Amino acid sequence: MPENKARFVLVCQQFLALGTVAALAAPALGVVNLEIVRPPPDVAGSTHGPAVGETGRGDVPAARGAASLVAAGPVEPEVTEVPIDGALSSPTPVEGFATVGVTWDGDERLAEDEVTVSVRSLEDGTWGAWEEIEYHDEHGPDPESVEGRGARQGTEPIVVGEVDQVQVKIATRDGRAPGGAELAVVDPRDVAAQVQQPAIDTARLPASGTTLSSSPTGSGASDAAMLTAGATAKPTIFSRAQWGADERLRGSAPSYHEVHAGFVHHTVNANDYTRAQVPSLIRGIYAYHTKSRGWSDIGYNFIVDKFGRVWEGRHGGVDRPVVGAHTIGYNEHSFAMSALGNFDTARPPAAMLEAYGRLFAWKLSLHGVDASSTRQRVGTRNFPAVNGHRDAGRTACPGRYLYARLDAIRALAAKYQRPFTRRTRSTDLAGSRWPDLIVRDRSTKQALLVRTGGQTNFAAGTKAASDMAGMDLLTAPGDLTGDGIPDLLARDGRTKLTGIYPGTRRGTFGRKTHDISRFRGADQLTGSRDLDGDGRNDVVARIAATKQLVLFPGDGKGALRRRTLLAKDWSGYDLTAGVGDLNGDGRNDLVARTGGELHLVLGKGKGLGARRVLPGRWGRYSHIAGMGDLTNDGRPDLVAKVARTKVVHIFPGDGRGGLGRALGPFPQFKHLNFLATAGQLSGNAGKDLVGRARNGDLRVYANNGARNLEAVTEAGWSLRAADLVLNVGDWNGDGHADVMTRSRKTGKLYLRTGDGRGGFGPARLAGTGWGGLELVTAVGDVTGDGSPDLMGQPVGRAMRIYPGDGSRGFRESYVAHSSLRGLQHQGLGLWDGDGAPDSLLRRSDGALWLYRGNGPGGLVEPTKIGVLARGYRWMHAAGDVTGNGRPDLLAADKAGRLWVHPGHASGFGTRRLVGDGFGVYDLVG
């Protein structure tokens, strides 16, 4: 950031950029109620000083449905600019309810303490006292911006009202007036030009340069607008048209960036204005900023008067992050609202505080900012979400009495703000809380519902025992003591005595209860479950001297009975492990490795049966263990640790003696030199793993009880005519996720409402004209109005946001980003945690680019966060598939394997296999 952007000083007469959103209770561009609600009693302690508006009925809210005193049409103010020769201007005639200011050449930048400008007025033949005009050297557009390059320096505008003449004087250190100094006198035109008319909400404006013809049309449903309970209510906002903005005065098109915080300001105007005079006051400021200062628009984004009415300032959309001209260097990262009046001399009325609370609650929510946040990054500094101007610079603004009520404004904003976690689309279609997919079978063209289950994983290890470093043989045989809790067997490498360490209900192992000498000569030791069929768990060992494999039956009370021979010659096997009933015949089995091959050795109840080779390269594993269902599908699995990389894989059993593709990798077990399936030690429903760390501590890793895939079921409808399917979230506000499909041939978009149990309603037309759009994706609630939205790119044009209307159609679209080009586009959801949904683009070279959402304004410039293999057929951002609190990425390769890339703070982690058989699906949503 340039040096001149390093200070955060917001100017007193400035407002922060606030974007546009459609009125939640009415269709876009429709008539809305301009009721000003009477505020509740103050929520903060009282301050001293007279209150604005307390002497009359001027601050009484308008009755419900009452018309507002607004301009009949655009009003062009008249601006007179008089050169100032020397330090004192000539007396200048004034017309109308005048606003004045002093400007000078833009290249002569003066610090605030280097110049003082004062004004006096002539009325009825008598000159009044000199009154200083506010000047802030960092109030304006950024100098390097298009708007700032042609701007003039100058004071704040000040209202002198209906006087006869004005005169200004300039005092500088060298006694010389700044170069090109001019007195600007603004006549906002007669208040009589205003008439009573119904208030039209013009908040929902398309982005600059967009037209309706560039947007696909909605369904035209009569219930197109509905109030969504999850969205913060939008306050009444009087439009630019209502204060008579002459749009011909505006210069360059508005620009957009981000909103991270808001600031409270005051304009330092007189406090005795009437309701009818407010539009004139705003027009005076507007004309001064555009015609005298050379800005592209009024610098403020919002103004609030003493009656509690909020007025739209800078053009570009009240719900969008419009970059204002209020704080040099920080215009791109914040917004503010300025109170019309001087609140260093008077207390703000309750209606004004109420308006601040409601506007800040709504505006901050649009951009994903918690109104109660105490730490927001704004440019190069951190601020609370709600601040006073003096918190950012050396100024008295927003006046001592308004600043004293800052905590009241914060409390009101927090009170009125609704949670915005619902902005990430819900992709759970079957009621399990985990994301689901809608896919199309390539051959049948039928829609299928793929239910994910949270992804099998294990918690961080907890200490279960210590002093195990000297143990040379360990195994987790299940429950030997008969208390229902898994136990541990460990042989002391020095004494060769083996102890039983009973498991506890706290997920630990107690002191050993036995010293068993019969394993002195063993070189392999494994639990085998109930291998002899008597209902009690057993232990298998290989005798080193004879290479015999023997069984030690358990008695169910912690002791082992006389051994029996299982195999006379077990010399070719370097590893033996119990695996439970791997083939589903009701008897427990073993696996044994020889020459890199892993053999399944079937149990017969009394001895061992046939052996067969399990496919795979098993020589690369240092540990192989079984004995339990780790994937939570009811079938026993194998766990294996790679000798070279130390990562762990799980091989899911198919219940028929086979194994599926290796799941994982699971890197959290790298530091272990022993690993086994322990059973249910941590009290949850899944089978846990137990391992020994290098320091000799025994650690238990709790199974999360989740499954990679729950099921694949028929959705009950055909996708034969579709080229696109989208899991759009809760589109119609009934609490259940919905699906949209598109036919590129007809250009029609259809909505199928979900019932939350995996069922769907009939297809209903949601829009037409969608055939010419590329990169169409579901993005969640980008606009912040409580309803999910879509993004799409008309061929050869900019990426656009298509806001959902809360029913089955759309509001008017607008540009999200002008340069979004790529192979695949996905709505990620709340990726960076700022409360605004983000998007991901995969380009043809496999690079992944994150486009962060800035609230309803769209997407900011991208950041590269990784590279995805180009061998993937498709990728899909389904949401938080792994349960780590961040959106993840699913990707299917050409072999039909589905992988998950877990999301983390800066990108995606090492991929893990989710499942197989996805090569038959050619559409996914």
Side-chain angles (χ1 to χ4, degrees):
M1 179 174 288
E3 176 102 8
N4 61 11
K5 282 193 159 193
R7 288 171 39 194
F8 193 104
V9 181
L10 288 173
V11 182
C12 286
Q13 284 190 325
Q14 204 57 33
F15 318 113
L16 291 158
L18 291 165
T20 61
V21 81
L24 294 181
L29 301 180
V31 177
V32 297
N33 187 346
L34 285 184
E35 174 190 13
I36 305 296
V37 180
R38 180 178 290 279
D42 280 348
V43 297
S46 63
T47 55
H48 299 290
V52 173
E54 284 187 345
T55 59
R57 296 184 53 83
D59 59 342
V60 177
R64 180 177 293 273
S68 173
L69 191 64
V70 296
V75 179
E76 182 181 5
E78 182 178 341
V79 180
T80 302
E81 291 171 335
V82 180
I84 301 174
D85 296 324
L88 186 66
S89 73
S90 301
T92 302
V94 172
E95 296 290 338
F97 195 74
T99 294
V100 301
V102 173
T103 66
W104 54 88
D105 293 341
D107 56 358
E108 188 162 355
R109 302 190 60 85
L110 299 175
E112 292 183 27
D113 59 357
E114 292 180 322
V115 61
T116 301
V117 181
S118 303
V119 62
R120 66 174 181 172
S121 303
L122 178 68
E123 188 173 5
D124 297 330
T126 302
W127 285 101
W130 288 101
E131 180 180 358
E132 186 174 332
I133 308 177
E134 293 272 341
Y135 166 65
H136 301 289
D137 60 331
E138 294 196 8
H139 179 190
D142 294 336
E144 68 271 19
S145 67
V146 173
E147 182 179 8
R149 290 173 194 151
R152 289 171 60 81
Q153 301 301 307
T155 68
E156 302 304 312
I158 185 170
V159 176
V160 295
E162 296 180 336
V163 298
D164 299 320
Q165 293 182 356
V166 294
Q167 188 177 31
V168 296
K169 64 178 179 180
I170 304 174
T172 60
R173 291 178 177 176
D174 59 7
R176 179 185 60 84
E182 292 180 344
L183 166 64
V185 179
V186 182
D187 175 8
R189 306 303 291 273
D190 192 356
V191 178
Q194 300 170 27
V195 297
Q196 295 280 346
Q197 69 175 30
I200 305 300
D201 177 38
T202 59
R204 196 50 167 153
L205 299 175
S208 176
T210 66
T211 64
L212 283 169
S213 61
S214 63
S215 306
T217 60
S219 66
S222 60
D223 58 344
M226 51 189 302
L227 182 65
T228 306
T232 300
K234 175 188 174 184
T236 297
I237 300 171
F238 286 66
S239 70
R240 291 171 59 89
Q242 288 173 301
W243 54 260
D246 183 350
E247 302 298 354
R248 294 173 299 179
L249 301 186
R250 289 194 290 110
S252 59
S255 59
Y256 304 89
H257 197 63
E258 294 179 313
V259 167
H260 296 166
F263 286 83
V264 175
H265 294 247
H266 73 157
T267 64
V268 206
N269 283 325
N271 300 314
D272 58 353
Y273 55 85
T274 67
R275 284 178 177 270
Q277 290 172 333
V278 170
S280 293
L281 296 178
I282 300 173
R283 289 199 303 272
I285 298 170
Y286 176 46
Y288 178 70
H289 283 176
T290 56
K291 300 187 76 171
S292 298
R293 296 294 302 273
W295 300 352
S296 66
D297 197 352
I298 189 171
Y300 321 145
N301 299 96
F302 283 85
I303 307 143
V304 58
D305 62 33
K306 67 181 180 181
F307 312 110
R309 300 179 300 180
V310 177
W311 301 81
E312 178 187 9
R314 179 162 283 219
H315 169 78
V318 293
D319 73 341
R320 303 192 66 189
V322 180
V323 176
H326 45 76
T327 307
I328 291 177
Y330 294 90
N331 292 316
E332 296 179 342
H333 298 97
S334 65
F335 84 93
M337 182 158 74
S338 192
L340 203 58
N342 187 343
F343 297 101
D344 206 36
T345 61
R347 289 188 292 116
M352 180 176 279
L353 299 178
E354 177 77 5
Y356 264 115
R358 291 188 181 275
L359 183 77
F360 273 56
W362 172 72
K363 178 58 178 176
L364 290 171
S365 74
L366 295 181
H367 302 277
V369 178
D370 183 349
S372 62
S373 172
T374 60
R375 186 179 177 85
Q376 293 291 127
R377 192 66 175 174
V378 185
T380 58
R381 291 181 56 185
N382 293 315
F383 291 90
V386 179
N387 311 272
H389 181 186
R390 67 174 63 179
D391 294 325
R394 292 173 293 182
T395 175
C397 183
R400 53 178 174 161
Y401 295 119
L402 183 52
Y403 187 79
R405 307 311 306 275
L406 204 59
D407 284 341
I409 293 172
R410 290 185 177 121
L412 286 168
K415 171 185 173 182
Y416 294 133
Q417 191 175 67
R418 301 294 301 271
F420 39 83
T421 53
R422 293 182 67 238
R423 295 185 68 172
T424 288
R425 63 192 169 103
S426 168
T427 54
D428 168 26
L429 294 165
S432 68
R433 94 174 177 90
W434 296 110
D436 301 319
L437 309 179
I438 287 288
V439 298
R440 184 176 71 175
D441 186 290
R442 179 186 291 109
S443 59
T444 68
K445 305 302 181 183
Q446 291 298 303
L448 302 174
L449 176 64
V450 179
R451 297 173 53 191
T452 67
Q455 306 306 300
T456 298
N457 210 337
F458 301 86
T462 59
K463 187 175 179 180
S466 56
D467 300 327
M468 293 286 173
M471 305 299 173
D472 63 349
L473 290 178
L474 295 96
T475 188
D479 176 23
L480 293 177
T481 60
D483 61 359
I485 304 173
D487 306 313
L488 184 78
L489 275 179
R491 188 180 75 176
D492 189 304
R494 182 177 58 83
T495 67
K496 301 302 180 181
L497 294 177
T498 302
I500 297 179
Y501 295 81
T504 73
R505 298 193 183 278
R506 301 185 302 275
T508 60
F509 295 101
R511 294 180 179 275
K512 67 180 179 180
T513 59
H514 296 73
D515 271 328
I516 303 171
S517 61
R518 61 182 66 185
F519 296 121
R520 285 181 183 274
D523 63 354
Q524 292 181 24
L525 186 66
T526 182
S528 61
R529 289 194 174 239
D530 176 19
L531 198 64
D532 61 4
D534 66 354
R536 295 181 286 264
N537 287 331
D538 309 317
V539 178
V540 170
R542 186 179 76 166
I543 307 304
T546 64
K547 303 303 180 183
Q548 294 177 328
L549 191 71
V550 296
L551 173 72
F552 291 88
D555 68 356
K557 299 178 182 179
L560 298 173
R561 302 196 304 271
R562 184 188 302 273
R563 77 183 191 182
T564 61
L565 182 66
L566 290 175
K568 291 183 178 180
D569 183 9
W570 209 252
S571 59
Y573 296 105
D574 66 344
L575 180 150
T576 306
V579 292
D581 181 14
L582 202 64
N583 70 339
D585 65 354
R587 300 195 261 308
N588 291 304
D589 310 312
L590 301 177
V591 293
R593 185 175 64 185
T594 177
E597 291 183 344
L598 191 67
H599 292 182
L600 172 62
V601 184
L602 298 179
K604 296 195 307 182
K606 298 294 182 180
L608 300 177
R611 310 173 194 179
R612 63 182 177 83
V613 176
L614 293 171
R617 296 183 299 133
W618 297 95
R620 62 194 186 117
Y621 296 104
S622 60
H623 299 77
I624 299 174
M627 290 277 291
D629 171 24
L630 296 173
T631 57
N632 306 297
D633 61 358
R635 299 186 289 261
D637 312 308
L638 294 188
V639 59
K641 185 174 184 180
V642 180
R644 183 176 63 84
T645 64
K646 310 300 183 185
V647 299
V648 166
H649 294 276
I650 293 175
F651 292 85
D654 64 5
R656 302 184 300 274
L659 299 172
R661 292 186 187 271
L663 303 180
F666 300 90
Q668 61 264 52
F669 307 108
K670 285 187 174 183
H671 65 291
L672 302 180
N673 54 34
F674 161 74
L675 186 66
T677 304
Q680 290 173 278
L681 261 175
S682 60
N684 64 352
K687 300 297 191 295
D688 306 322
L689 291 175
V690 61
R692 181 177 62 183
R694 297 188 184 98
N695 65 356
D697 286 347
L698 209 64
R699 304 187 70 80
V700 169
Y701 298 83
N703 190 315
N704 66 358
R707 297 177 61 180
N708 282 8
L709 295 171
E710 288 284 351
V712 179
T713 60
E714 292 186 357
W717 35 279
S718 174
L719 283 168
R720 185 171 299 277
D723 75 304
L724 178 71
V725 59
L726 300 171
N727 188 342
V728 296
D730 181 13
W731 193 269
N732 65 344
D734 65 355
H736 307 305
D738 307 313
V739 172
M740 281 187 174
T741 62
R742 181 189 69 176
S743 169
R744 184 182 288 274
K745 183 177 180 180
T746 65
K748 292 181 179 180
L749 195 69
Y750 293 93
L751 173 71
R752 287 184 182 268
T753 56
D755 64 6
R757 302 183 301 276
F760 301 90
R764 297 191 301 167
L765 185 65
T768 59
W770 288 81
L773 266 66
E774 299 174 334
L775 302 181
V776 178
T777 192
V779 290
D781 179 17
V782 173
T783 58
D785 63 357
S787 298
D789 311 309
L790 299 185
M791 280 193 195
Q793 186 176 58
V795 175
R797 304 186 69 177
M799 179 66 72
R800 301 180 72 86
I801 295 171
Y802 297 89
D805 66 4
S807 177
R808 60 185 173 96
F810 299 86
R811 298 187 176 98
E812 187 178 345
S813 71
Y814 58 90
V815 171
H817 201 282
S818 60
S819 61
L820 206 60
R821 298 286 189 275
L823 178 66
Q824 291 179 336
H825 173 222
Q826 297 290 325
L828 269 183
L830 306 182
W831 172 266
D832 58 5
D834 67 356
D838 307 307
S839 285
L840 183 72
L841 193 79
R842 176 191 175 203
R843 300 191 187 277
S844 57
D845 61 356
L848 297 176
W849 291 85
L850 177 66
Y851 287 78
R852 289 181 169 84
N854 62 0
L859 307 172
V860 298
E861 291 306 306
T863 302
K864 186 177 179 179
I865 60 171
V867 177
L868 203 62
R870 280 182 280 183
Y872 287 132
R873 293 175 51 243
W874 49 259
M875 71 174 193
H876 182 64
D880 183 11
V881 175
T882 60
N884 65 353
R886 287 186 173 273
D888 307 310
L889 190 62
L890 295 173
D893 63 21
K894 294 178 180 179
R897 292 169 295 190
L898 183 66
W899 301 87
V900 59
H901 292 259
H904 55 71
S906 58
F908 294 98
T910 302
R911 72 178 187 176
R912 288 176 46 199
L913 184 66
V914 176
D916 206 353
F918 281 78
V920 299
Y921 306 135
D922 60 353
L923 289 182
V924 62

